[in-house]
Amino acid sequence: MQLFETMKLESGLFPRISYHKKRMKSASEQLGFLFNESTWSELITSISEQYATGVYRIKIMLNKDGIINYVAAPLPEKTTFTAKLLPLIADVNKQVIVHKTTQRAHLEHNHQTDIVLLYNEEGKVLEFDIGNIMIKEDGRYYTPFYNEDFLRGCMRQELLDKGELLEKDYDIQ
């Protein structure tokens, strides 16, 4: 198992890089992975310099022993996605739900749609397989309350911190 972060890199800059670092460091501590802040910072600087122009999807992967590597790919300009509802598998280890690990079997689907929106046994809407959900209602944006039942995204957290996103549960009923 590895921990990983997937980030947008645009013109050599990572939006929300402090959130990604914090999430990787926190998951490392909770799961017993070695995380070296200097190695992380050096890699981020190197990637930023190497990909100083253009827009990329960067996936940084951390092994339990602290070895860190990455994959870079051009970020597609897709703006619309098809989606369907999918129940979250009931017996999934909570650690792989709340941390971004390579153990992601609970997110697998047949790809009849681009993405899936997960919900739990009680019908609570949780998250998409590629990110958190935001619902616009009466001019405000909402996202589900976090109860250790989904992966908290970095953009979600930044918007909550700025007061631009509020928490409110939704169900599929």
Side-chain angles (χ1 to χ4, degrees):
M1 176 174 73
Q2 293 176 308
L3 293 174
F4 72 95
E5 286 293 315
T6 306
M7 304 175 283
K8 178 180 181 180
L9 176 66
E10 186 168 9
S11 300
L13 299 173
F14 287 100
R16 294 173 289 285
I17 189 65
S18 63
Y19 287 90
H20 288 285
K21 177 183 173 183
K22 182 179 179 180
R23 184 167 69 177
M24 178 75 82
K25 184 178 177 184
S26 175
S28 296
E29 291 168 355
Q30 292 181 36
L31 298 175
F33 280 60
L34 295 176
F35 179 80
N36 184 296
E37 291 192 47
S38 295
T39 303
W40 168 273
S41 296
E42 289 169 11
L43 181 62
I44 294 300
T45 299
S46 174
I47 295 169
S48 295
E49 291 171 355
Q50 187 173 355
Y51 299 94
T53 59
V55 182
Y56 298 91
R57 177 184 180 267
I58 306 295
K59 182 177 182 179
I60 296 179
M61 297 153 291
L62 177 68
N63 293 338
K64 195 166 183 88
D65 61 4
I67 295 174
I68 191 167
N69 54 52
Y70 76 96
V71 175
L75 189 66
E77 294 184 23
K78 189 168 184 161
T79 58
T80 59
F81 296 85
T82 58
K84 70 176 178 180
L85 284 168
L86 189 70
L88 179 65
I89 301 166
D91 63 348
V92 179
N93 179 336
K94 183 178 78 168
Q95 295 301 323
V96 300
I97 292 174
V98 302
H99 299 296
K100 202 163 190 179
T101 73
T102 53
Q103 291 183 353
R104 314 222 6 114
H106 65 287
L107 299 177
E108 291 178 3
H109 60 99
N110 61 15
H111 294 281
Q112 290 176 335
T113 58
D114 296 315
I115 59 177
V116 293
L117 179 57
L118 299 169
Y119 63 93
N120 68 12
E121 291 174 320
E122 293 80 37
K124 176 186 173 187
V125 172
L126 300 172
E127 66 176 327
F128 289 104
D129 60 326
I130 63 166
N132 295 126
I133 184 168
M134 292 180 9
I135 297 171
K136 187 174 184 179
E137 186 177 302
D138 298 325
R140 300 293 315 250
Y141 288 95
Y142 297 92
T143 190
F145 281 98
Y146 176 72
N147 293 307
E148 297 185 344
D149 49 359
F150 58 84
L151 177 68
R152 291 179 288 179
C154 295
M155 180 183 287
R156 175 188 184 274
Q157 190 59 53
E158 180 185 48
L159 293 172
L160 284 168
D161 290 347
K162 290 179 175 180
E164 296 174 15
L165 183 62
L166 303 171
E167 291 177 302
K168 176 181 179 180
D169 285 339
Y170 291 87
D171 62 48
I172 61 169
Q173 311 304 316

